[in-house]
Amino acid sequence: DETVQKIDRSICFCGCDCLSHTFCLSPPGGQGQFPIVQNMTVTEGGIANLTCRVEHNDNTSLQWSNPAQQTLFFGDKKALRDNRIELVRATSQELTINISEVTLADEGMYTCSLFTMPVKTAKAFLTVLGMPKKPEINGLTKPVLEGDQITLTCVTSGSKPAADVRWFKNEKEIKGAKEVNTSGKTFTVKSSLQLLVNRHDDGVAYTCRVDHVALIATHEETTQVLEVHYAPYVEIKHSIPAPLEGQYLKLECVPHGNPSPDPVLWTKDGGELPDLDRVIVEGRELTFMSLNKTDNGTYRCEATNHLGTSHAEYKLVVKDPNALPGPPDHALIGGIVAVVVFATLCLIIVLGRYLARHKGTYLTNEAKGADDAPDADTAIINADGNHAHAEEKKEYFI
């Protein structure tokens, strides 16, 4: 009987199942002959290389068997009729074979046997990765109308393990609702986006990207660009801010809409444009070669597509360059300010002197009738006498 001892997570001895290990080695001390194998991971459609080695061998034969325990090679003799399986090297210390065009059905435990007494075996697990197919985006019809609610669904199948599906809106990642279903040994992954479409979505690229361990340093992706139809809206741009007589003026009608609202219609005050010799209409532009006051009015640009009509207006007021107010006279303004400050100071001085004089009069009159009185009673009587003349003298407090 073999004694199973583990050296670390990647190495195990002969007689164990190497599902979670990388090598099978002979026990320490070199006692006996033991095959050494290694687990293998390969992408579907690739080549699996299975190698079995023996450190010490006395010309005992080596054999590879598949998960169904069918012998593939016994030494250099091919035992199974499968054109995908080829011999690479057969010596007393090594037996290496290749399996090309690997399929998911080839996944499983492969056994290397060393025909000693008793037979010694080592097992290697072949993992086959399922390659995800190029993703498809469903649910998009062109064109989409503004205000529509649509659901974009990205689907990829054939992956093993399940692929990771991500959405991007103009290279910025956004979150979708993910769903994973199994189909035999492989997985089908779906991811959905719900969108309420508006005019700003016109021309936006939505990309579905698939990442998988089998896609080394790359990924599969599919992109769809939204085409959104919406009613027009209009704006008018002018070449100068304050038009003057004799100046050149260009008005540009800028309609936004999908389909593009073309051509546009220019009108003045609800009627046709006057004097077309001096006023030029070219495409979306309205040009005045030399302005005069007869050009004053409200100019309208109107744009239409099959979803609606929109317009914008520009009120033109042509001014006489000679009637424009000149720059402000800073000297005159400074003089006016100085006069106002001087008058304010004079008023404050006069008012202060007036208040001071009336306050002294009040203090003097308050004592009249008490100066010559021999006693307090007489002073009060004399003061009361003075009250009789109170109607003649009045004092005010401010």
Side-chain angles (χ1 to χ4, degrees):
D1 296 334
E2 323 294 344
T3 301
V4 178
Q5 303 180 25
K6 292 183 180 178
I7 297 176
D8 57 27
R9 287 184 176 272
S10 64
I11 300 174
C12 69
F13 288 113
C14 168
C16 65
D17 289 341
C18 292
L19 279 170
S20 59
H21 306 281
T22 304
F23 295 102
C24 278
L25 299 178
S26 57
Q31 298 176 1
Q33 300 164 298
F34 296 92
I36 304 170
V37 296
Q38 183 176 359
N39 290 336
M40 189 74 183
T41 298
V42 64
T43 302
E44 185 179 13
I47 299 175
N49 184 279
L50 300 176
T51 298
C52 181
R53 292 187 177 91
V54 178
E55 291 184 353
H56 308 284
N57 194 0
D58 53 3
N59 293 325
T60 303
S61 297
L62 291 169
Q63 171 185 290
W64 270 113
S65 302
N66 64 14
Q69 294 304 309
Q70 296 172 316
T71 301
L72 304 179
F73 270 89
F74 183 81
D76 59 355
K77 302 295 189 295
K78 186 174 184 179
L80 186 66
R81 292 183 178 180
D82 189 336
N83 294 331
R84 301 178 304 131
I85 304 174
E86 297 177 349
L87 178 65
V88 177
R89 184 177 294 105
T91 67
S92 61
Q93 293 184 324
E94 179 183 340
L95 177 59
T96 300
I97 63 173
N98 276 348
I99 304 176
S100 59
E101 298 178 8
V102 173
T103 67
L104 296 175
D106 294 321
E107 184 175 85
M109 190 75 71
Y110 287 76
T111 303
C112 176
S113 302
L114 177 63
F115 284 87
T116 58
M117 292 298 291
V119 176
K120 299 179 178 65
T121 61
K123 298 180 182 295
F125 195 86
L126 175 62
T127 300
V128 181
L129 302 176
M131 182 75 72
K133 294 182 179 179
K134 186 177 179 66
E136 297 180 357
I137 297 178
N138 302 318
L140 179 61
T141 57
K142 294 185 179 182
V144 181
L145 298 182
E146 184 177 30
D148 285 354
Q149 184 167 343
I150 63 174
T151 300
L152 301 182
T153 302
C154 177
V155 182
T156 179
S157 59
S159 61
K160 178 183 171 295
D164 184 28
V165 176
R166 296 188 292 163
W167 282 101
F168 291 85
K169 178 181 179 181
N170 284 347
E171 299 304 322
K172 182 179 180 180
E173 187 169 0
I174 55 178
K175 189 175 181 180
K178 186 176 178 181
E179 177 185 342
V180 179
N181 298 308
T182 59
S183 177
K185 291 186 176 183
T186 63
F187 296 87
T188 298
V189 183
K190 297 180 181 180
S191 184
S192 300
L193 281 179
Q194 287 192 344
L195 305 174
L196 181 60
V197 179
N198 60 50
R199 62 188 59 196
H200 302 295
D201 290 317
D202 186 41
V204 172
Y206 285 88
T207 300
C208 175
R209 182 176 298 173
V210 174
D211 295 314
H212 192 264
V213 63
L215 300 171
I216 303 174
T218 185
H219 50 256
E220 292 280 2
E221 66 180 31
T222 300
T223 300
Q224 291 280 4
V225 178
L226 264 62
E227 180 184 353
V228 181
H229 281 192
Y230 55 94
Y233 67 96
V234 181
E235 59 178 331
I236 295 177
K237 296 182 179 180
H238 45 87
S239 59
I240 53 177
L244 302 177
E245 279 190 291
Q247 284 188 326
Y248 171 92
L249 172 65
K250 178 185 289 187
L251 301 180
E252 182 182 3
C253 179
V254 183
H256 305 271
N258 193 13
S260 179
D262 201 38
V264 299
L265 176 64
W266 282 100
T267 59
K268 177 187 178 183
D269 296 329
E272 295 182 356
L273 295 173
D275 194 2
L276 293 180
D277 292 335
R278 191 172 51 83
V279 180
I280 301 173
V281 178
E282 186 175 358
R284 299 175 177 178
E285 296 178 351
L286 177 64
T287 304
F288 300 83
M289 303 305 296
S290 180
L291 288 170
N292 61 51
K293 291 187 176 181
T294 62
D295 296 323
N296 288 347
T298 300
Y299 292 82
R300 170 183 284 202
C301 169
E302 188 174 283
T304 302
N305 65 15
H306 72 278
L307 295 174
T309 300
S310 180
H311 70 271
E313 294 183 346
Y314 174 79
K315 187 174 183 179
L316 175 61
V317 178
V318 180
K319 297 182 179 180
D320 184 353
N322 300 321
L324 294 177
D329 190 340
H330 296 289
L332 178 61
I333 294 175
I336 294 174
V337 171
V339 170
V340 172
V341 171
F342 178 76
T344 302
L345 291 175
C346 291
L347 180 62
I348 291 173
I349 293 172
V350 171
L351 186 60
R353 294 187 63 183
Y354 176 79
L355 293 176
R357 185 174 64 252
H358 278 267
K359 182 178 180 181
T361 303
Y362 166 73
L363 293 174
T364 302
N365 290 338
E366 189 178 32
K368 285 182 178 180
D371 294 339
D372 300 327
D375 51 35
D377 292 339
T378 306
I380 294 173
I381 293 172
N382 290 341
D384 291 341
N386 287 333
H387 289 168
H389 304 285
E391 296 297 331
E392 298 177 2
K393 295 182 179 180
K394 298 180 179 179
E395 295 179 355
Y396 301 92
F397 295 93
I398 299 178

